[in-house]
Structures are given as C-alpha cells and as structure tokens.
C-alpha cells in the first residue's frame, strides 16, 4: 500500500438531532451521534492522514476479510485505504460514495469490481450503511471474482467493557479465531459477555438468522440495536455473518494506533459475508446492509 497522505473535506450528514461524519479515505464513517451521544469509537491514537486504515468508526472491508489467501492484498483488503468518490448526495442526510479499480489503492485483483456505499441517517435514532458490490465485467463473463465484504463497526460502549452483553448470539454457531484449530462451536450464554480477548465469527447460516437484531446492553440497559442483511442475488445467498471482536489487554498493547486501555471503551460488531468466499459473476451484484440504532 503506498503511503499516500490525503487531506480532504469530511462529508457531514445531519437530520434532526442525528449527525454523521464520513472520511472519503476508506469511506470510513467516523462519527454517528444522537444529540450529545457518540455511538462510534475512534481511537485517540487513530492515524487520520491516509497512511494507514482508520482505527475505529466503520471501516469497509473488501475484497478479503483478514489475510489474502493469494498473499497479494493487504489484510482486510484495499477498500478501507482507498480514496472514494462522492457519487450522489441527494439530501443533507444521505450520501452515496463509489470506488472502482481506477481509484482503488490496489491495481490487482479483482479487476472488474464497482462498489457503491450508501450512508443515510434515519429518524429517530438510526444510521443505515449499505455496500453494493458489482461485477461490471459484462454479462458474458463467467469467471467472476471471489470476494468477502464486512462493515467493521467499532461501537462506543462507554467506559466499562466488563458490563456489556450482546443479546441474540446465544443460539448461533461460531468459529473462535483465536483457537489454534479452526472449530465451530455452539455459542452459549458466556459468549455474550466480554471478559477476555474475543474474536468470533458467528455464521449467518448457523442459527443467526437472516436479519435478526442483535442488541448490545451496556450497564444492564439496551444501548445499541444492530440489524444486518446480506444479499447475493444470483446465488440466492442470503445469510449475514457477524464478527465480534475485542482486543483485550495484550492485543491492545501491541496495536500502535490504539491506547493500552481503550479496549475498555469499545466492542466491534461487524456484519459481513466472511464465512465463505462468494463468487460474483459478470453483471451480478451483492448488497450488505447494516442499520445501527442508538437506544
Ligand atoms: O474483525 C476482527 C479482526 O479480524 C481481528 O482479527 C483483528 O485483526 C481486527 O479485525 C482488526 O484488524 P486490523 O487489520 O484493523 O488491525
């Protein structure tokens, strides 16, 4: 990744007492507020000059989640480190950004993608972010390309991670990314509390359901509602996975752009299609949508 330093105007959305700020770098939503409350976490040590992904907000992960099996792309892909273009801003509360190979940070795979990312404020308390992935290589192109996509949402949970619970996961199967052997286990009540490093992929087709709501409780009270959906139309693939991540003490210390104690203030709830590598053929598209509400 070239360390391009970028200085650009932020995009600001407003609607009633809702507000949202988006950086064109990575199309990263860095703030979602209702009145005085900030719903998203951004590290105080986040690097905002375009030389590395922003540590916080809602980074856009595409076309790979984690390491690239082909060893070509940066971890979590190039969408979050590319400069996106504003395609349309129909109102003060809605904007669509776009990324194509011409603007992308990475000139390799895939060659025929087009991303359109819609960010919209919805009264009384929601932020809707919808990523459309297209293969515009023409209807005849059967090759298509493999992709994963995910909205890596950092929730601002206040100061006490020990008093946070995620409601809605306890029937789902998950893979523990920290376990040496990739194994799928059924979640249980303990999985909903955060008292150590957590890096779990909960599978949409294993008990999570299509658009089930997750509720994040902070200090015993519902604080966030996270609704999500994933649609890969041609393949009739409709399950949306969710990654839950908190770096905890050791990992927090190792992250350069993250304060040692900031693990207490955040929890990542990340909708996406990461449990498999879907193929998008010429002329096909897929849509990943998250509706985050401040309760
Ligand atoms: O979403 C969870 C995860 O894949 C973790 O494994 C951790 O690596 C996190 O993403 C942050 O990744 P980053 O590349 O932004 O440091």
């Amino acid at each position: 990744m070239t360390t391009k330093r970028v200085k650009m105007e932020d995009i600001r959305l407003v609607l009633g007492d809702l507000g949202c700020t988006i950086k064109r770098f990575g199309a990263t939503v860095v703030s979602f507020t209702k009145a005085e409350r900030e719903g998203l976490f951004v590290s105080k040590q986040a690097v905002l000059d375009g030389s590395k992904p922003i540590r916080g907000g809602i980074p856009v992960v595409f076309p790979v989640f984690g390491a690239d099996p082909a060893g070509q792309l940066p971890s979590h892909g190039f969408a979050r480190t590319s400069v996106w273009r504003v395609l349309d801003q129909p109102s003060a509360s809605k904007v669509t950004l776009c990324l194509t190979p011409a603007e992308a940070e990475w000139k390799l795979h895939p060659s025929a993608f087009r991303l359109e990312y819609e960010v919209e404020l919805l009264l009384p308390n929601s932020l809707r972010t919808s990523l459309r992935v297209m293969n515009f290589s023409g209807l005849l192109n059967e090759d298509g390309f493999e992709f994963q996509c995910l909205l890596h949402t950092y929730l601002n949970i206040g100061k006490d991670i020990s008093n946070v619970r995620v409601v809605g996961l306890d029937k789902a199967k998950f893979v523990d990314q920290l376990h040496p052997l990739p194994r799928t286990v059924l979640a249980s009540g303990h999985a909903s509390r955060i008292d150590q490093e957590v890096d779990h992929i909960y599978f949409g087709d294993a008990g999570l359901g299509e658009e089930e709501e997750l509720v994040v409780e902070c200090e015993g009270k519902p604080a966030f509602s996270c609704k999500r959906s994933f649609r890969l139309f041609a393949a009739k693939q409709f399950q949306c996975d969710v990654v839950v991540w908190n770096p905890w003490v050791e990992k927090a210390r190792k992250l350069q752009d993250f304060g040692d104690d900031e693990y207490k203030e955040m929890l990542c709830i990340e909708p996406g299609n990461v449990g498999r590598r879907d193929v998008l053929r010429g002329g096909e598209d897929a849509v990943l949508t998250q509706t985050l509400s401040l309760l």
Side-chain angles (χ1 to χ4, degrees):
M1 181 184 82
T2 52
T3 53
K4 202 164 56 181
R5 311 261 163 175
V6 288
K7 262 323 271 160
M8 274 164 295
E9 282 304 302
D10 293 347
I11 301 161
R12 183 84 186 128
L13 303 180
V14 288
L15 179 66
D17 65 350
L18 299 178
C20 169
T21 304
I22 308 154
K23 299 269 183 197
R24 282 181 50 215
F25 178 70
T28 313
V29 177
V30 291
S31 172
F32 166 41
T33 56
K34 177 170 177 61
E36 304 314 311
R37 178 181 169 191
E38 172 58 70
L40 297 176
F41 166 87
V42 175
S43 170
K44 293 179 189 59
Q45 297 177 22
V47 175
L48 300 175
D49 64 3
S51 61
K52 65 180 297 181
I54 294 174
R55 176 68 63 197
I58 309 178
V60 177
V61 172
F62 173 87
V64 288
F65 173 74
D68 173 18
Q72 288 181 322
L73 302 175
S75 176
H76 286 341
F78 54 72
R80 65 175 183 168
T81 51
S82 295
V83 177
W84 291 55
R85 180 164 41 94
V86 174
L87 191 66
D88 185 24
Q89 184 153 5
S91 75
S93 59
K94 183 175 180 178
V95 67
T96 301
L97 295 107
C98 168
L99 185 69
T100 63
E103 296 112 343
E105 184 68 26
W106 211 263
K107 303 302 174 205
L108 296 166
H109 156 87
S111 56
F113 77 88
R114 177 180 175 89
L115 301 182
E116 291 186 6
Y117 188 44
E118 206 176 81
V119 181
E120 182 173 17
L121 292 170
L122 300 167
L123 287 174
N125 59 351
S126 300
L127 172 71
R128 184 178 173 279
T129 49
S130 189
L131 178 71
R132 188 174 173 211
V133 183
M134 291 166 260
N135 179 340
F136 65 91
S137 61
L139 289 168
L140 304 180
N141 173 317
E142 279 313 302
D143 312 356
F145 56 76
E146 275 193 357
F147 78 103
Q148 295 170 304
C149 61
L150 172 131
L151 299 174
H152 201 295
T153 306
Y154 286 74
L155 300 180
N156 172 11
I157 56 97
K159 295 286 177 219
D160 184 6
I161 185 68
S162 66
N163 201 351
V164 168
R165 204 163 78 88
V166 183
V167 181
L169 290 173
D170 42 8
K171 293 193 299 293
K173 284 191 179 164
F174 69 93
V175 163
D176 179 352
Q177 299 243 78
L178 303 170
H179 194 277
L181 299 173
R183 60 192 177 126
T184 304
V185 294
L186 192 59
S188 63
H190 84 278
S192 58
R193 286 208 173 278
I194 311 295
D195 52 13
Q196 58 189 313
E197 182 178 357
V198 171
D199 196 347
H200 291 171
I201 301 177
Y202 291 85
F203 293 110
D205 52 2
L208 252 192
E210 217 174 284
E211 290 192 331
E212 258 167 49
E213 178 185 34
L214 291 183
V215 172
V216 177
E217 293 179 350
C218 298
E219 290 158 35
K221 291 196 292 290
F224 298 89
S225 158
C226 312
K227 288 186 178 176
R228 67 213 178 269
S229 69
F230 176 71
R231 302 273 185 279
L232 179 60
F233 295 98
K236 296 187 175 30
Q237 158 65 24
F238 299 127
Q239 287 88 14
C240 188
D241 307 323
V242 174
V243 175
V244 177
W245 178 60
N246 184 288
W248 212 248
V249 180
E250 286 318 308
K251 185 69 68 65
R253 253 192 224 126
K254 289 180 189 148
L255 293 170
Q256 297 298 315
D257 55 353
F258 191 82
D260 288 357
D261 285 341
E262 286 188 318
Y263 70 92
K264 298 175 184 168
E265 304 170 24
M266 51 67 71
L267 179 65
C268 283
I269 302 284
E270 314 160 25
N273 72 315
V274 293
R276 67 217 151 255
R277 290 182 190 286
D278 293 308
V279 174
L280 203 61
R281 302 199 182 292
E284 294 178 349
D285 66 355
V287 181
L288 170 64
T289 301
Q290 167 182 259
T291 302
L292 178 64
S293 303
L294 303 182
L295 303 178

